[in-house]
Amino acid sequence: RKGELTGVVTGKGDNWIEVKADGEEKARKYVPHWRGGNPNMGGGPDKAMVAELKKVPLKSRVRLEWASEERPRVEKIEVLK
């Protein structure tokens, strides 16, 4: 599954973001895609997306594109004015 939403950032961590979408009762957590195989092979969360998520201020309004792969994964995020 894939989707797009607009909402407010309600929480952040080192490699995740939580967004409460317009019209939803609860916020959902989104994580970057996993890249590079197992951790012992250098794999981990997509570094470019982790950097993007770090730039997004808490309580900002965002548009987020996601895809579900075991859990909701961020594909693109944009801070709205």
Side-chain angles (χ1 to χ4, degrees), residues 6 13-14 20 31 48 53 69 76:
T6 302
D14 288 340
K20 183 174 182 288
V31 298
L53 296 180
E69 181 184 297
K76 184 177 176 183

Side-chain angles (χ1 to χ4, degrees), residues 7-18:
V8 176
V9 177
T10 57
K12 289 177 61 172
D14 288 340
N15 58 2
W16 57 269
I17 194 163
E18 189 177 69

Side-chain angles (χ1 to χ4, degrees), residues 34-44:
W34 192 269
R35 304 284 188 227
N38 292 328
N40 63 350
M41 297 167 58

Side-chain angles (χ1 to χ4, degrees), residues 20-49:
K20 183 174 182 288
D22 295 349
E24 294 284 321
E25 287 186 26
K26 276 178 58 176
R28 291 189 186 173
K29 194 180 281 188
Y30 298 87
V31 298
H33 283 281
W34 192 269
R35 304 284 188 227
N38 292 328
N40 63 350
M41 297 167 58
D46 184 305
K47 289 174 178 48
M49 183 52 70

